[in-house]
Amino acid sequence: MAHQTHSYDVLIIGAGGAGLRAAIEAANAGVTVGLICKSLLGKAHTVMAEGGMAAAMAHNDDRDSWRVHFADTMRGGQYVNNWRMAELHAKEAPDRVRELEGWGAVFDRTKDGRINQRNFGGHRYPRLAHVGDRTGLELIRTLQDHTVYLGVDVHMEHTVIDLVLDNGRAAGVLAYDRANGQFKVFSAKAIILATGGLGRAYRVTSNSWEGTGDGHALAYRAGAELIDMEFIQFHPTGMVWPPSVKGILVTEGVRGEGGVLKNKEGRRFMFDDIPDNYKPQTAADEEEGWRYTQNDKSARRPPELLTRDHVARCINREVKAGRGSPHGGVFLDIAWIKEKLPNAAEHIQRKLPSMYHQFMQLADLDITTTPMEVGPTTHYVMGGIRVDGDTQMSTIPGLFAAGECASGINGANRLGGNSLSDLIVFGKRAGEYAAVWARENGAPRVDEGALAAIERTALDPFTRGEHGENPYKLQQDLQDTMQDLVGIVRLEGEMQTALGRLQEYKARLTRVGVTGGREYHSGWHTALDLRNLLAVSEAITLSAIERKESRGGHFREDYPEKLDQFATFNVMTKQGSGGAVQVSHVPIPPMPPELKQVIEEQKS
Amino acid sequence: METQATFKIWRTHPGGDGTFQTFKTTVTEGMVVLDVVHKIQAEQAPDLAVRWNCKAGKCGSCSAEINGNPRLMCMTRMNELDTWEQITVEPMRTFPPIKDLVTDVSWNFRVKKGIKKFKPRPADQPDGTWRVAQRDVDRVQEFRKCIECFLCQDVCHVLREHNKHDEFIGPRFLVYAANLEMNPIDSDDRIPDLKEQHGIGYCNITKCCTKVCPEHIHITDNAIIPLKERVVSRYYDPVTRILRMFK
Ligand SMILES: Cc1cc2nc3c(=O)[nH]c(=O)nc-3n(C[C@H](O)[C@H](O)[C@H](O)COP(=O)(O)OP(=O)(O)OC[C@H]3O[C@@H](n4cnc5c(N)ncnc54)[C@H](O)[C@@H]3O)c2cc1C
Ligand code: SF4
Ligand code: SF4
Ligand code: FES
């Protein structure tokens, strides 16, 4: 079949923070760059990020340094992180943030005119560079506006369906153009996946429709290794009411500015359960917690700012024990700060403008006077494509991954703010090393036969037409299964049930049908997404069954303790011969003594 | 609580023109227009085309004309609408149609490339950064709230009625230019371009753009008028003109 074909030295799939930063780096290295994204430029998930990006610039507290950031990240990740990535991230994030200013980013300022940094869960010192509560918009717009002048070819509203290899090396992709439904071939010497997350595998999520784990699934089907798929971050504070907005994020910044969590009895239940390893750093009482949020350096953080996995489970526990709010959440109260600050209402509106509007417009609720109702929402996946920490190359030569779809930096749990900085640190590295790879290797061959097979599978739903299954219905069933059986609290039996259902859904997927033309067809698109959602759901479930302990974003009611023997490896899933998923363990290499020492010195 | 609603949604036909199609559906508490469109898509019209991403007013993807008013579908609550007997949803009319509610907004991306990019002045700190006070960026930050929904472009009569797409960049990009011009770190000069190529003179300050901006950016008062003033003082103010002659 004749295709419109494009070829590049470096092809980047995804135009969120990671993809754009990679594009800039590769273009600056002088190679040709193509960029593909499912939505319009500037609309990727990154645009929704609120709180900020973590970088130890020490503007607000000079005790901060890369060492503290590294130790915080490892502690948050429960020590199964790729320590090399955590190290590079902590060291390089400050430069990556500063360089954004030279590209036009306008961060909030400190009194002495530097980039202002705010407190966030799990970060010892104020570390998040931010712009009100729309930091993601600032990041994506800055990168987008910088990229468009660099001669990068951007293919918007194009969806990659599958990767094609040439003798085991990444060679190209088949994509389709949403507007007209036509297929296009892209060949490249190096390919970078920067496709973001997979929250859409769950019913309640903060993720947009794009978060269907495409990059994870593309890499998996091509034979790459995925690790840590059991580690899913359920953000503690999503909206719970009204039903149509359930899952939409309420930034952690609310708690950073002094917001507190209460149950229906008015109790600040977070004080009731503080993990031992965080006790030395947690406030003794409410007064000390408040002082911390007001940047009193002698104060320790309130327990609301403990790591997300912990806060989410505490909320879950309150709700299950019948101490929740009317709509099945708990209360998040920022209005109370009027007891402390003279112009509290204005202060809240200035610090948290989009939260103020979000609740006003979507829930008829004024957060300056009334507590919000919040509950956990599927937010982020720590797991993803296994990459080399320095180069971001996956286990497939010439295939790179960066951002949320790559794995390693976060371990079992990501600290808020570490994603945006991850995007720019490792987006840059991926771009740099992909350009090097493209220089050193010739053009691969894209096999026509492989392309034709991908096309046939992609068009199958049309051949079944209106007699087929409704793709939306299948998607809902899948989301219900993952939400109810592989969610925030997990049990062996439930997960086995989920596995059984996933097999049924795979069978149903072969019966999904759509009608009509191929132009901008959401039903067809959903049918294509389902293949990816099913692949990642299976990887999540199998990995979660494999890890018979509780750690970070993975909590098992049947194995509630963290166990030493599980601290030494990452669970890996890979497509075996014959198509079945292979589960195995990848040992974590020993940490060099210098880094071990950094962790020790930060323990107190 | 469920209530009936009747939606008339614009559907394009293969030739390019279109008609309204009527859908009846039930609406529950708290729904926004985008929820209802999605419900119709899932239950009655799987091939209905609609653009969206965040469902929280942050990405600017879901722009449409609801009962004739340019709005974000995800931020328009059903209970804000006077009646549910007949709600019309149609695409932004200033841009060429692609399908149903989706339009071709690529012109906007081309226009942006034509504006001189951010060019920082030399750093004033040894570590390669700049010291800038918050009050000096408050205004720029207002402009940078823009989510590129292009609703302002949709209503501006210079584009909508007079089709001056080749001569006028529209309110969104006047805001963009203002953000660059007022950025204390930027060192380039876009005033000549604004006058000659970007067509700032076409704007006659009707403020229609400001009224529809979901980010409540004071497009006209804070961005366009100050830029117009800069153009005027550069080109039409007698003192500056004489000074320029001697430069
Ligand atoms: C509401 C919200 C708030 C957040 N707040 C913060 C915060 O304050 N701080 C922080 O650090 N993190 C935050 N996060 C997390 C962070 O925003 C994300 O992890 C991060 O933006 C992911 O960036 P990315 O570049 O990896 O991918 P994304 O920004 O998700 O971009 C993915 C790109 O890949 C493209 N793509 C995907 N699949 C395909 C395909 N098949 N074909 C072609 N293109 C494809 C998409 O179109 C898109 O362009 C937040 C997340 C959410 C949801
Ligand atoms: S104020 Fe100017 S830019 Fe805005 S709508 Fe009116 S003419 Fe257009
Ligand atoms: S200025 Fe306002 S209306 Fe115009 S594109 Fe930006 S956000 Fe939309
Ligand atoms: S979907 Fe993002 S603004 Fe409406």
Side-chain angles (χ1 to χ4, degrees), chain A residues 39 43 50 102 104 106 108-109 113 138 142 145 149 157 208-209 244 248 358 361-362 519 522-523, chain B residues 30 35 41-42 46 51-53 55 58-59 77 99 112 115 117-118 131-132 134 141 144 147-148 176:
Chain A
S39 292
K43 311 297 181 192
E50 294 164 353
V106 184
D108 286 357
R109 319 305 300 181
E138 191 66 24
T142 301
D145 292 348
Y149 295 103
E157 297 196 314
S208 79
W209 66 269
S244 62
I248 293 183
Q358 187 171 309
Q361 275 181 283
L362 297 175
E519 302 82 16
S522 304
Chain B
D35 291 321
Q41 188 185 53
R51 218 181 238 138
W52 70 285
N53 280 79
K55 220 171 99 56
K58 292 183 168 54
C59 73
R77 287 189 58 171
K99 187 180 163 193
K112 192 187 250 182
I115 297 170
K117 69 175 183 184
F118 177 76
R131 294 289 169 102
V132 178
Q134 180 63 43
Q141 287 187 329
R144 293 185 69 81
I147 55 175
E148 300 201 329
Y176 179 67

Side-chain angles (χ1 to χ4, degrees), chain B residues 155-158 168 171 174 202-209 220 224:
Chain B
V155 287
C156 177
H157 68 105
V158 183
F168 180 56
L174 291 171
Y202 280 111
C203 164
N204 56 349
I205 320 191
T206 60
K207 300 202 180 184
C208 310
C209 50
T220 351
I224 300 180

Side-chain angles (χ1 to χ4, degrees), chain A residues 488-562:
Chain A
I488 193 164
V489 174
R490 299 166 176 176
L491 277 170
E492 181 84 21
E494 291 186 350
M495 290 192 286
Q496 294 293 350
T497 309
L499 270 188
R501 291 204 199 151
L502 291 175
Q503 298 312 319
E504 283 166 34
Y505 299 154
K506 277 193 201 161
R508 279 170 65 185
L509 178 60
T510 65
R511 299 194 293 268
V512 159
V514 297
T515 53
R518 278 156 64 178
E519 302 82 16
Y520 223 105
H521 194 314
S522 304
W524 180 37
H525 195 96
T526 302
L528 295 173
D529 284 347
L530 276 166
R531 216 160 59 106
N532 300 332
L533 283 172
L534 274 166
V536 296
S537 298
E538 199 174 6
I540 294 168
T541 310
L542 284 167
S543 305
I545 290 173
E546 186 67 16
R547 190 171 279 279
K548 294 188 183 358
E549 64 151 358
S550 292
R551 187 181 292 269
H554 171 66
F555 184 79
R556 294 202 43 170
E557 204 163 17
D558 42 2
Y559 299 97
E561 300 302 323
K562 188 160 72 181

Side-chain angles (χ1 to χ4, degrees), chain B residues 40-170:
Chain B
I40 291 169
Q41 188 185 53
E43 294 169 358
Q44 306 179 43
D47 64 340
L48 175 64
V50 53
R51 218 181 238 138
W52 70 285
N53 280 79
C54 68
K55 220 171 99 56
K58 292 183 168 54
C59 73
S61 302
C62 64
S63 307
E65 298 182 9
I66 301 167
N67 290 339
N69 301 314
R71 302 283 303 264
L72 297 176
M73 284 185 271
C74 72
M75 295 306 271
T76 306
R77 287 189 58 171
M78 287 296 290
N79 63 9
E80 286 173 48
L81 304 175
D82 298 335
T83 161
W84 291 3
E85 310 260 291
Q86 199 189 87
I87 297 159
T88 60
V89 185
E90 52 192 317
M92 288 192 285
R93 293 299 188 185
T94 299
F95 304 110
I98 291 181
K99 187 180 163 193
D100 304 336
L101 300 176
V102 177
T103 56
D104 177 358
V105 292
S106 57
W107 171 77
N108 292 286
F109 292 91
R110 289 195 298 276
V111 167
K112 192 187 250 182
K113 271 197 207 174
I115 297 170
K116 277 198 215 163
K117 69 175 183 184
F118 177 76
K119 186 169 147 201
R121 61 180 159 82
D124 54 30
Q125 299 295 312
D127 63 355
T129 63
W130 300 263
R131 294 289 169 102
V132 178
Q134 180 63 43
R135 64 174 179 282
D136 294 332
V137 292
D138 280 339
R139 181 52 48 80
V140 178
Q141 287 187 329
E142 176 192 356
F143 302 147
R144 293 185 69 81
K145 288 195 303 189
C146 170
I147 55 175
E148 300 201 329
C149 63
F150 306 132
L151 286 171
C152 55
Q153 308 285 71
D154 186 43
V155 287
C156 177
H157 68 105
V158 183
L159 300 169
R160 192 174 177 116
E161 270 124 51
H162 305 288
N163 284 309
K164 296 285 184 198
H165 295 73
D166 293 336
E167 296 157 68
F168 180 56
I169 58 176

Side-chain angles (χ1 to χ4, degrees), chain A residues 13 241 343 349 387 528 579 595:
Chain A
I13 304 168
W241 187 260
N343 299 316
Q349 286 192 42
V387 291
L528 295 173
L595 292 181

Side-chain angles (χ1 to χ4, degrees), chain A residues 20-243:
Chain A
L20 287 167
R21 187 62 189 82
I24 291 170
E25 202 62 19
N28 284 340
V31 299
T32 60
V33 181
L35 184 63
I36 310 182
C37 52
K38 286 205 277 192
S39 292
L40 297 173
L41 201 53
K43 311 297 181 192
H45 213 98
T46 298
V47 78
M48 295 165 71
E50 294 164 353
M53 54 191 113
M57 298 185 291
H59 289 175
N60 295 56
D61 193 321
D62 55 19
R63 290 172 296 180
D64 204 9
S65 71
W66 78 263
R67 305 165 79 85
V68 192
H69 193 183
F70 168 75
D72 286 351
T73 302
M74 293 298 294
R75 186 190 301 111
Q78 313 261 0
Y79 304 105
V80 292
N81 321 50
N82 176 328
W83 45 259
R84 176 66 179 155
M85 284 174 78
E87 177 194 5
L88 290 171
H89 171 252
K91 285 181 173 165
E92 294 175 4
D95 281 346
R96 294 289 82 77
V97 172
R98 283 187 207 110
E99 113 200 307
L100 294 172
E101 254 189 328
W103 297 343
V106 184
F107 290 98
D108 286 357
R109 319 305 300 181
T110 58
K111 286 206 175 67
D112 65 353
R114 297 187 290 175
I115 295 174
N116 197 8
Q117 301 188 264
R118 69 157 51 115
N119 285 313
F120 235 57
H123 292 284
R124 185 153 193 167
Y125 301 118
R127 191 177 283 147
L128 268 67
H130 61 274
V131 185
D133 50 7
R134 56 162 190 83
T135 313
L137 171 64
E138 191 66 24
L139 175 64
I140 202 164
R141 198 68 81 232
T142 301
L143 294 175
Q144 166 193 349
D145 292 348
H146 193 70
T147 304
V148 296
Y149 295 103
L150 298 176
V152 172
D153 258 358
V154 184
H155 304 267
M156 297 190 229
E157 297 196 314
H158 280 56
T159 302
V160 172
I161 302 175
D162 257 320
L163 291 170
V164 186
L165 303 186
D166 176 11
N167 267 321
R169 170 190 162 194
V173 303
L174 183 78
Y176 93 93
D177 179 346
R178 196 144 196 201
N180 59 24
Q182 296 303 310
F183 294 114
K184 282 188 193 170
V185 177
F186 294 82
S187 67
K189 294 177 186 160
I191 299 177
I192 302 175
L193 294 170
T195 52
L198 48 71
R200 286 273 144 188
Y202 289 80
R203 186 177 61 231
V204 180
T205 177
S206 62
N207 289 192
S208 79
W209 66 269
E210 292 198 315
T212 47
D214 294 10
H216 293 77
L218 293 169
Y220 169 82
R221 283 196 294 269
E225 296 174 5
L226 305 182
I227 54 166
D228 290 343
M229 293 299 283
E230 69 277 28
F231 297 127
I232 307 278
Q233 181 166 79
F234 298 92
H235 193 289
T237 59
M239 291 177 83
V240 296
W241 187 260

